[in-house]
């Protein structure tokens, strides 16, 4: 889950990482009020869970509350990399002397957290890594020995930060970032830019925070920060119903059990000349409740012309799957063609049940390829 800057900064503040004072604003009038309260120069910042806001015109300096209000009007509603701006963060403006970059993320190859620090902040870190790799200090933290204060000092020296006060402040921020990385179950904590003010104060001017979705149950306060309005309506519906769902842009809705089978179903539909509209993974079972939930999500997508229900019975029995589907179709009405491929344990019994009892829009096929060809033809 990607947090917005103001949410990330709130977590930074709780970790003791210096950030500027600011207010959330949802309207130009609120932006003006925030600027009045903060006083002096402010920065009006679009809140979307993506970077590159500055370049997209989503970060602007305001000299007074009038300007803050006018800028808020301009920035609200902007589309930044596919995200519509509905929230602003009005922050007390900082004077910038230097812009550094600091982050900690997972290095999956090394299976360890990786810190990166460079004095070349404010630009794309990928460019620094590519063009001037010697300016980028990188350090893995071994989770078995844990983080040691000398590692923070090593990073600052290696990045070429020579001022003792800066070294001290940056080292302290690195230690806090490490503590937060584990306590928050984060996948990424990134500060770009980490600035030095003319007074020599080091602080986080931006905050990019990604929390591991699988750990959100341990962080209900963070889980609540999710921007439900910004989510795709189908994906929101799926999450509310506990359905694993991915939206694509074709015309065949796909329902299967198990990630591997679902992935190969996508390929086979492609091979048959069709395009998947979405897919749902029922996981191990195919109980009527979960089939109903998945079918509701799939059919709420207006692009869907036909549905491919692809089940391989391992532990799940074919007759149970068939009963689950029949039960689901009893409880909801679907006019779209539904092609069922049922194989594995007691598949013949399942297919017989469907042939006998299923409504006319349900077509049963024995192989995946035949089922894909059928659903593609019926979706035209
Ligand atoms: P991003 O473009 O999404 O990474 O958004 P940032 O929060 O990093 O802001 C983009 C740029 O705006 C920063 O790199 C700064 O150069 C500039 N900026 C942001 N806040 C301030 C501020 O308080 N004062 C000044 N002078 N510039 C700022
Ligand atoms: Mn930034």
């Amino acid at each position: 889950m990607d947090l917005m800057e103001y949410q990330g900064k709130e977590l930074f503040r709780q970790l003791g990482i210096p950030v500027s004072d600011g207010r959330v604003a949802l309207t130009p009038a609120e932006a003006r009020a925030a600027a009045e309260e903060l006083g002096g120069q402010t920065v009006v910042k679009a809140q979307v869970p993506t970077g590159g806001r500055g370049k997209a015109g989503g970060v602007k300096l305001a000299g007074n509350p009038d300007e803050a209000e006018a800028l808020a009007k301009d920035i609200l509603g902007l589309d930044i990399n596919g995200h519509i701006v509905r929230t602003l963060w009005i922050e007390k403006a900082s004077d910038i002397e230097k812009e550094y970059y600091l982050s900690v993320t997972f290095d999956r190859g090394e299976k360890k957290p990786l810190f990166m620090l460079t004095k070349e902040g404010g630009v794309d870190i990928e460019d620094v890594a590519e063009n001037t790799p010697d300016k980028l200090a990188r350090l893995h933290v071994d989770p078995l020995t844990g983080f040691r204060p000398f590692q923070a000092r090593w990073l600052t020296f290696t990045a070429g930060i020579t001022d003792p006060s800066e070294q001290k402040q940056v080292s302290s921020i690195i230690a806090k970032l490490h503590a937060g990385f584990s306590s928050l179950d984060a996948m990424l904590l990134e500060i770009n830019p980490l600035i030095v003010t003319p007074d020599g104060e080091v602080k986080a001017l931006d905050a990019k925070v990604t929390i591991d979705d699988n750990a959100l149950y341990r962080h209900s306060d963070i889980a609540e920060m999710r921007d439900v309005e910004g989510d795709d309506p189908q994906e929101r519906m799926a999450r509310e119903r506990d359905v694993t769902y991915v939206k694509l842009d074709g015309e065949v809705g796909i329902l299967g059990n198990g990630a591997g089978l679902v992935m190969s179903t996508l390929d086979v539909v492609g091979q048959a000349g069709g395009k998947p509209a979405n897919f749902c993974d029922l996981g191990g079972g195919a109980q009527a409740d979960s089939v109903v939930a998945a079918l509701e999500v799939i059919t709420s997508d207006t692009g869907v012309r036909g549905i491919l229900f692809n089940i391989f019975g391992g532990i799940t029995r074919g007759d149970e799957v068939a009963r689950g589907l029949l039960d689901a179709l009893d409880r909801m009405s679907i006019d779209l063609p539904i092609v069922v491929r049922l194989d594995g344990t007691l598949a013949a019994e399942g297919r017989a049940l469907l042939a006998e009892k299923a409504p006319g829009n349900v077509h049963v096929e024995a192989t995946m390829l035949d089922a894909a060809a059928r659903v593609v033809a019926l979706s035209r």
Side-chain angles (χ1 to χ4, degrees):
M1 174 180 171
D2 296 325
L3 300 191
M4 295 201 258
E5 174 198 5
Y6 79 94
Q7 299 166 328
K9 279 186 171 163
E10 173 55 27
L11 297 175
F12 281 3
R13 202 186 52 74
Q14 290 168 15
L15 291 167
I17 295 169
V19 289
S20 302
D21 196 9
R23 305 275 183 280
V24 171
L26 301 175
T27 62
E30 285 178 20
R32 157 189 284 277
E36 272 165 4
E37 230 182 293
L38 293 165
Q41 229 191 7
T42 54
V43 200
V44 180
K45 307 185 79 175
Q47 297 299 292
V48 282
T50 175
R53 295 165 301 155
K55 275 186 210 151
V59 178
K60 293 269 169 67
L61 281 167
N64 54 52
D66 277 346
E67 270 179 43
E69 184 175 2
L71 288 170
K73 239 177 236 154
D74 293 343
I75 296 175
L76 282 167
L78 273 186
D79 181 328
I80 300 183
N81 305 326
H83 299 272
I84 304 294
V85 181
R86 283 178 289 99
T87 308
L88 300 171
W89 174 244
I90 316 296
E91 183 172 280
K92 213 169 166 45
S94 306
D95 289 329
I96 303 177
E97 181 140 314
K98 300 171 194 162
E99 292 189 310
Y100 298 163
Y101 170 100
L102 172 64
S103 71
V104 54
T105 183
F106 263 121
D107 183 339
R108 291 175 187 273
E110 291 287 327
K111 304 188 185 79
K112 287 172 189 158
L114 168 65
F115 272 96
M116 288 192 270
L117 174 65
T118 173
K119 286 168 78 178
E120 309 289 312
V123 293
D124 285 339
I125 191 62
E126 289 79 6
D127 294 342
V128 179
E130 169 114 9
N131 303 326
T132 47
D134 50 312
K135 292 195 170 155
L136 183 63
R138 294 160 46 98
L139 177 84
H140 290 100
V141 176
D142 189 325
L144 296 180
T145 47
F147 175 80
R148 301 297 164 90
F150 77 84
Q151 295 182 303
R153 293 195 293 275
W154 184 89
L155 274 164
T156 61
F157 295 145
T158 308
I161 295 172
T162 50
D163 178 86
S165 161
E166 280 180 33
Q167 286 174 344
K168 220 172 135 195
Q169 294 177 74
V170 175
S171 295
S172 154
I173 293 173
I174 291 171
K176 287 165 179 161
L177 220 47
H178 182 269
F181 192 70
S182 36
S183 71
L184 295 167
D185 290 304
M187 304 296 285
L188 169 72
L189 298 176
E190 184 187 71
I191 309 176
N192 188 24
L194 176 72
I195 63 156
V196 185
T197 67
D199 300 338
E201 190 199 345
V202 178
K203 67 178 168 185
L205 213 63
D206 191 4
K208 204 161 160 205
V209 172
T210 307
I211 305 292
D212 183 351
D213 283 329
N214 294 311
L216 281 178
Y217 73 96
R218 294 206 280 230
H219 306 281
S220 51
D221 50 333
I222 296 174
E224 276 169 18
M225 292 178 180
R226 193 186 280 281
D227 174 31
V228 276
E229 270 181 71
D231 283 353
D232 174 81
Q234 264 94 36
E235 287 184 359
R236 196 191 326 161
M237 185 175 176
R239 200 168 33 248
E240 282 163 11
R241 277 155 222 235
D242 230 358
V243 172
T244 306
Y245 168 86
V246 174
K247 184 168 168 48
L248 301 165
D249 57 3
E251 64 288 331
V252 179
I254 291 171
L255 184 55
N257 63 335
L261 180 65
V262 169
M263 290 301 119
S264 38
T265 310
L266 296 177
D267 288 346
V268 172
V269 166
Q271 196 183 331
K275 252 180 110 184
N278 55 39
F279 65 83
C280 279
D281 178 5
L282 287 172
Q287 305 300 318
D289 284 347
S290 47
V291 176
V292 169
L295 285 175
E296 277 173 354
V297 175
I298 287 181
T299 52
S300 73
D301 180 341
T302 51
V304 174
R305 292 272 136 77
I307 298 167
L308 177 52
F309 187 70
N310 188 8
I311 301 286
F312 186 88
I315 297 166
T316 320
R317 293 166 26 175
D319 57 334
E320 278 173 17
V321 173
R323 276 194 205 93
L325 179 60
L326 289 170
D327 197 1
L329 293 176
D330 257 357
R331 284 155 51 180
M332 60 190 298
S333 83
I334 295 180
D335 299 326
L336 296 167
I338 302 175
V339 177
V340 183
R341 175 267 186 167
L342 195 53
D343 207 346
T345 312
L346 295 183
E349 285 80 349
R351 287 199 292 265
L353 264 174
L354 290 175
E356 188 189 335
K357 297 192 174 144
N361 60 330
V362 174
H363 311 267
V364 182
E365 295 285 350
T367 73
M368 225 158 112
L369 208 52
D370 288 344
R374 187 83 180 263
V375 77
V376 169
L378 290 168
S379 304
R380 288 245 158 79

